Amino acid sequence: MPHGLDHIVHAVRDLDAAADMYCRAGFTVGARNRHPWGTHNRIVQLKNCFIEILTVAEPEQIPPHGARSFSFGAFNRDFLAAREGLSMLILNSRDAREDARSFEAAGIGGFEVFDFAREGKKPDGTPVKLAFSLVFATDPASPDAGFAACQHHFPENFWNPAFQIHANGATTVPGVAVVADNPTGHHVFLKAFTGVSDLHASSIGVRASTENGDVEIMERVAFRDRFGVSPEVRGEGMAFHGLRFAVTDIAVVEALHRQNGIASQRHGGALVVPPDAAHGATLIFEGVK
């Protein structure tokens, strides 16, 4: 089944400092949540997708990877040992168990579904139940990039318009920009992971246009030319570098950033926060089309 964006993990070493950066950039940021497997997060929710700002707060609680179990905590711990930045891409799922079978048949899975639940709160403080099922996928050529699909069991308790109002006017995440030396070498994985059979390939990259945002793999030079940032690529295969936001008025965002000390810069009609100012990620603000 085709998948769209659900969320992306932004792994950081100082959760509150990263949350403060997102706040100063004009986003509404949720309260700290604690996971029993050693990670803590804070959420930035858009209409179609959310950002999971994540840190490893209790390393002693992290379980190891198993033969058929993917340890979310261990992956992000190892990622943070080398860098901060966008560590995992999670797509939406209508049926996590069916996706697990599909991923395994395609040779990108082989992991048991990971179910978990926690208590959330509405804007007025009312507690609500949240539950999710995650199925992980791997691209052997990209050991430093994590992939999963997520099924929300109580989506009405998670997605809330009150959390989607941002001072910078951001509405949606149109897409995620991925960098690789050889984008077409990941064509087969991208097709199996997204479920999009008709990928757009060009001389500079490969794009899966999903029902809920694009996943675009491009060369480093193409990323630099498009966003004005030269991505630092470490390790092998794909790396998540850019997160695109649709905003109602770029001038308003730019004024807000200047007021709050966010070092964004104009490039090609967009406003870009470089990775050295955004905990290893490139944040790209684009006018609503």
Side-chain angles (χ1 to χ4, degrees), residues 14 35 45 66 74 83 95-96 108 131 136 149 176 179-180 184 190 199 204 220 263 267:
D14 187 329
H35 299 141
Q45 190 177 124
R83 67 189 69 82
D95 186 331
I108 66 169
F136 295 96
V176 176
V179 174
T184 57
L190 185 62
L199 302 184
I204 61 172
R220 281 181 282 185
H267 184 84

Side-chain angles (χ1 to χ4, degrees), residues 84-157:
E84 291 186 294
L86 306 178
S87 63
M88 300 188 72
L89 174 63
I90 292 90
L91 303 183
N92 56 31
S93 172
R94 298 178 181 87
D95 186 331
R97 280 159 178 78
E98 178 58 34
D99 288 329
R101 289 188 285 270
S102 175
F103 288 172
E104 185 162 14
I108 66 169
F111 302 106
E112 300 293 342
V113 174
F114 178 60
D115 300 303
F116 73 98
R118 67 173 176 86
E119 183 180 278
K121 290 185 178 181
K122 293 183 177 181
D124 64 3
T126 303
V128 292
K129 184 176 182 180
L130 302 174
F132 312 89
S133 293
L134 281 167
V135 54
F136 295 96
T138 58
D139 173 14
S142 306
D144 297 324
F147 302 88
C150 177
Q151 180 181 2
H152 293 244
H153 295 290
F154 301 98
E156 69 281 2
N157 289 343

Side-chain angles (χ1 to χ4, degrees), residues 72 101 157 181 282:
F72 176 87
R101 289 188 285 270
N157 289 343
D181 285 336
T282 301

